[in-house]
Amino acid sequence: ALQRSEERYRLITSWVDDVIWTLDDRGHLNYISPSIEKLTGYAPDQLLQQPLSVSLREDSALRLAQTSQAALEQVELGRRIEPIRLELEQIRRDGSTFWSEVTMNGLYEPDQRFIGFVGVSRDISERKRYESDLREARDAAEAANLALLSANAMLHGQATTDALTGASNRRYFEEALAVQITQTRSYGEPLCLLIIDIDNFKAINDNFGHQMGDLVIVELAKLLQAGLRKPDLLARWGGDEFVVMLPHTQVQEAHQIAERLRLSMAAHVFPVVPLSLIHI
């Protein structure tokens, strides 16, 4: 019966694709199933009495050594080894590599004396390729999604922002104002608007050119934005005209804000145009 059982065991290990192996208490292979030759090109007798790490890449061999050492420390403490699972990169006889999943456990005599390890190695190259393809597909999808979000943000910015000054454009301001008016009517909150333009702006364009006029408008927009509060909304209405929405603001406070902006504009030196031509 024992002979038949052994023959049956050898028949199974000869035909399965997984490699079954055992290590002695020194960590050397003392049994390895014939399927190792199909997987690696090495015959079993070429690997016997060798450490399992002999056919592993350096980083995988190090990971196996650390795991085995931790298991042996458990044995020294009188504890049974818990099943271990590792993914290791192995080297074939021709120098090529492949990924294997190694499952190992402690091997014990009937009296529970630890005598080594028993394990199974399975080729998972196909799964690794699938995971790699899936990861690349996911990365490509994320990159495409980021590009789409960036494009949408750019389009939104182009649709809501004045190209010259970077302030909100008239269309966006009208939409925001409509929403704010609805809230003002619903909750009875105050709302004020400021309308701002540059007197004699035509003289600036006529005397210095439209390019210089654009520089004045851009600088004016920056100064206005710097003088506003966070909830306030600045928009270019057209030409040299700007409009500011002041939510939650009473008329008296709006007058103070308007005067502060006017004084800051009047005191500012526009280097490209004489101050005498600019009146806010």
Side-chain angles (χ1 to χ4, degrees):
L2 180 61
Q3 184 178 359
R4 287 197 301 271
S5 176
E6 184 178 352
E7 289 174 353
R8 186 179 301 110
Y9 172 75
R10 291 186 180 278
L11 180 65
I12 292 171
T13 58
S14 296
W15 284 94
V16 295
D17 289 332
D18 294 348
V19 179
I20 302 170
W21 45 265
T22 60
L23 303 176
D24 59 24
D25 55 5
R26 299 175 302 147
H28 289 182
L29 288 159
N30 55 12
Y31 172 78
I32 188 163
S33 63
S35 49
I36 187 67
E37 189 163 6
K38 178 181 176 182
L39 191 62
T40 67
Y42 288 103
D45 58 1
Q46 292 177 297
L47 297 176
L48 288 176
Q49 301 309 314
Q50 298 287 335
L52 184 60
S53 59
V54 72
S55 62
L56 297 177
R57 284 178 59 92
E58 184 177 352
D59 52 345
S60 290
L62 177 61
R63 190 158 65 252
L64 175 63
Q66 292 171 340
T67 304
S68 301
Q69 181 59 39
L72 291 173
E73 290 172 0
Q74 294 299 308
V75 172
E76 292 174 1
L77 294 173
R79 300 171 184 169
R80 288 187 69 87
I81 297 174
E82 295 293 329
I84 298 168
R85 178 184 170 278
L86 297 170
E87 290 185 359
L88 304 175
E89 194 170 7
Q90 291 193 236
I91 306 173
R92 294 188 179 93
R93 187 174 183 179
D94 62 8
S96 62
T97 62
F98 68 98
W99 282 94
S100 66
E101 180 183 71
V102 172
T103 305
M104 55 189 290
N105 208 336
L107 189 61
Y108 299 87
E109 290 281 17
D111 61 0
Q112 301 305 307
R113 181 171 59 88
F114 175 79
I115 58 173
F117 293 95
V118 59
V120 176
S121 298
R122 172 175 296 174
D123 185 356
I124 58 170
S125 301
E126 190 64 30
R127 191 181 81 194
K128 281 291 188 179
R129 280 193 293 270
Y130 172 77
E131 290 174 352
S132 177
D133 291 345
L134 188 63
R135 184 166 53 251
E136 290 178 3
R138 185 179 64 245
D139 291 345
E142 289 178 356
N145 188 48
L146 287 175
L148 182 60
L149 290 174
S150 177
N152 285 338
M154 184 179 297
L155 290 173
H156 180 266
Q158 292 173 350
T160 60
T161 305
D162 175 62
L164 178 63
T165 63
S168 297
N169 59 24
R170 180 169 180 166
R171 177 181 176 181
Y172 177 75
F173 183 86
E174 289 176 341
E175 293 174 352
L177 180 60
V179 172
Q180 191 62 51
I181 288 174
T182 299
Q183 292 181 351
T184 296
R185 288 173 175 169
S186 298
Y187 301 106
E189 296 176 345
L191 173 66
C192 290
L193 298 178
L194 304 181
I195 299 176
I196 303 166
D197 71 349
I198 303 175
D199 294 339
N200 303 318
F201 185 71
K202 184 176 182 301
I204 296 174
N205 283 334
D206 291 345
N207 287 281
F208 299 95
H210 289 275
Q211 185 176 2
M212 291 301 176
D214 286 348
L215 292 176
V216 170
I217 290 174
V218 169
E219 193 161 354
L220 177 63
K222 291 179 181 178
L223 291 169
L224 287 171
Q225 190 65 66
L228 293 174
R229 306 164 303 180
K230 192 172 182 178
D232 303 335
L233 179 63
L234 171 69
R236 186 183 179 197
W237 196 250
D240 63 320
E241 297 178 336
F242 291 85
V243 62
V244 179
M245 179 170 65
L246 305 173
H248 319 298
T249 306
Q250 299 286 354
V251 172
Q252 184 177 3
E253 186 181 3
H255 274 294
Q256 294 172 353
I257 293 172
E259 182 62 10
R260 186 177 71 248
L261 291 174
R262 188 190 69 78
L263 290 174
S264 67
M265 297 302 103
H268 183 72
V269 176
F270 290 79
V272 296
V273 178
L275 184 62
S276 60
L277 289 179
I278 300 178
H279 302 281
I280 310 297

